[in-house]
Amino acid sequence: MSIKAVIAGCGGYLPATVMTNDDLSKLVDTSDEWIRERTGIRERHIAAEDEKTSDLAVKAAEAALAAAGYAPQDIDLIIVATTTPDLTFPSTAAIVQAKLGVAAGAAFDIQAVCTGFIYALSTAEKFIASGQYKRALVIGAETFSRILDWTDRGTCVLFGDGAGAFVLEGMEEAEAGGRGVINSYLRCDGQLVDLLYVDGGVSSTQTTGHVRMQGNKVFREAVNRISEAMEWVAADAGVDIRSVDWVVPHQANERIIRGVVKKLDLEPEQVISTIAGQGNTSAASIPLAYCQAVGDGRIKPGDLVLLEGMGGGLTWGAALLRA
Ligand code: UT7
């Protein structure tokens, strides 16, 4: 009898402070019109000075636990996907574990930048399917505003802060009734590290560094790699990609999302887009979008959902699940 990793609940959190495109045009030479036309972004949320990535993660985790009807003590695995940890060590997951009051099981971070949530979900699914852990919190959480160069208009207009979380629960296949993570696909091409990276780090500069991106080169890679991942993950599971109910993409650029939809001959109405109000929240964007669509009744139990992401590394990937 095989064990499926079922999404028992999800939750999201966005910091209270909103920064509009007009606010940004006071910092750098940009405009609301340029940002909306080139990216689809209207505004993004920015963490308060005393809000750390772990604080955002805990709020999303608490919402996911409440939706699933579980207490922190029911969790035996915490994986946090983040590029903006509270500290160099210990992991943000360890700090989240302490703040939630969980004292059992394992906790660790995953670093795959904007593809982090797909990597974390795939990892958690394998631990659960093996029977090693029973219930996991899979969290994407970022304070990306802290690593932005606020004088670089090519990057600072794109990103925002936030967190999203899934409670993933092991269930016997018969009990799961087809629900759960079906398949996942993770890729990395480290030859392309120069396209998107942070120019600082522990063993190089002993500073945190700032985001550097060759935006149009990343853009050119994005549609093909994301489409490849989505096609692979569906075909490998024997699923016609056009039969999925919802696509939940990483929210980097509305034009990338539309490009993928066109390339794969999908319907724009199948796609969950949150980019206008949140910008690119890196590892948090996929669970935030998923939870928004669960909350407003679009994603219903039993729906077939395809998640996709691409980010620094370059990393990219996709996951297929039944809600
Ligand atoms: O989540 C991780 C993955 N990240 C991504 O997928 C991001 C991928 N890249 C993108 O989304 C787009 O490349 C950007 C939104 C970053 C840029 O859009 P673009 O259409 O590729 O513009 P570009 O970089 O080719 O720049 C076009 C022009 C340039 O001016 P010139 O050289 O033509 O005079 C830029 O200097 O737009 C200028 N520009 C801006 N103008 C106003 C760049 N940023 C801005 C800005 N406001 N914020």
Side-chain angles (χ1 to χ4, degrees):
M1 183 78 75
S2 74
I3 302 173
K4 302 301 289 181
V6 172
I7 300 169
C10 67
Y13 173 75
L14 292 164
T17 300
V18 171
M19 184 183 255
T20 65
N21 292 345
D22 285 336
D23 294 334
L24 275 161
S25 69
K26 290 171 196 136
L27 297 177
V28 286
D29 182 14
T30 191
S31 66
D32 176 51
E33 191 190 5
W34 191 96
I35 302 170
R36 270 192 293 111
E37 273 179 11
R38 298 291 181 115
T39 70
I41 300 168
R42 285 200 318 265
E43 58 189 31
R44 69 289 291 143
H45 294 250
I46 304 291
E49 239 171 77
D50 61 350
E51 254 181 334
K52 300 192 186 81
T53 294
S54 65
D55 297 318
L56 275 52
V58 164
K59 290 218 169 79
E62 285 170 343
L65 285 166
Y70 286 118
Q73 287 67 31
D74 297 318
I75 297 296
D76 57 2
L77 174 65
I78 300 175
I79 305 180
V80 176
T82 188
T83 299
T84 47
D86 289 17
L87 302 169
T88 301
F89 82 82
S91 67
T92 302
I95 298 166
V96 167
Q97 193 205 43
K99 286 183 177 173
L100 286 172
V102 179
F108 59 89
D109 288 359
I110 275 188
Q111 163 58 295
V113 204
C114 299
T115 321
F117 192 78
I118 304 275
Y119 271 63
L121 184 68
S122 178
T123 305
E125 187 269 327
K126 282 161 183 64
F127 274 119
I128 284 175
S130 76
Q132 194 168 345
Y133 297 105
K134 173 75 182 148
R135 243 172 251 118
L137 264 172
V138 187
I139 306 170
E142 303 281 13
T143 48
F144 227 77
S145 60
R146 307 261 156 84
I147 54 167
L148 295 176
D149 175 351
W150 289 98
T151 65
D152 176 13
R153 68 178 182 173
T155 51
C156 76
V157 304
L158 303 173
F159 295 91
D161 300 336
F166 284 3
V167 174
L168 215 57
E169 179 176 25
M171 264 186 209
E172 296 291 350
E173 199 167 4
E175 192 193 351
R179 295 177 61 211
V181 178
I182 297 165
N183 202 10
S184 60
Y185 176 80
L186 307 179
R187 291 295 308 276
C188 176
D189 183 351
Q191 302 296 326
L192 299 174
V193 68
D194 289 346
L195 298 193
L196 177 52
Y197 65 101
V198 164
D199 62 359
V202 179
S203 73
S204 52
T205 59
Q206 296 83 57
T207 62
T208 309
H210 294 110
V211 176
R212 302 294 171 211
M213 177 166 74
Q214 299 182 48
N216 45 16
K217 288 195 182 158
V218 175
F219 194 103
R220 280 204 291 275
E221 298 290 340
V223 174
N224 286 341
R225 288 172 196 264
I226 290 167
S227 303
E228 167 222 313
M230 289 168 71
E231 280 183 312
W232 191 95
V233 87
D236 186 62
V239 166
D240 176 356
I241 200 164
R242 274 163 299 277
S243 74
V244 304
D245 296 297
W246 300 104
V247 174
V248 182
H250 167 51
Q251 313 282 321
N253 189 318
E254 190 65 41
R255 285 158 55 216
I256 295 175
I257 296 172
R258 274 193 253 121
V260 169
V261 165
K262 193 166 169 222
K263 190 172 166 71
L264 297 181
D265 199 19
L266 300 167
E267 299 299 327
E269 296 73 28
Q270 286 175 274
V271 179
I272 309 296
S273 176
T274 55
I275 192 161
Q278 298 175 11
N280 179 350
T281 57
S282 188
S285 85
I286 295 170
L288 271 168
Y290 186 96
C291 292
Q292 184 165 308
V294 168
D296 64 23
R298 279 179 291 174
I299 296 179
K300 296 182 186 62
D303 282 356
L304 197 55
V305 186
L306 189 45
L307 318 181
E308 56 88 341
M310 196 195 88
L314 292 181
T315 54
W316 67 102
L320 182 69
L321 60 89
R322 201 170 278 285

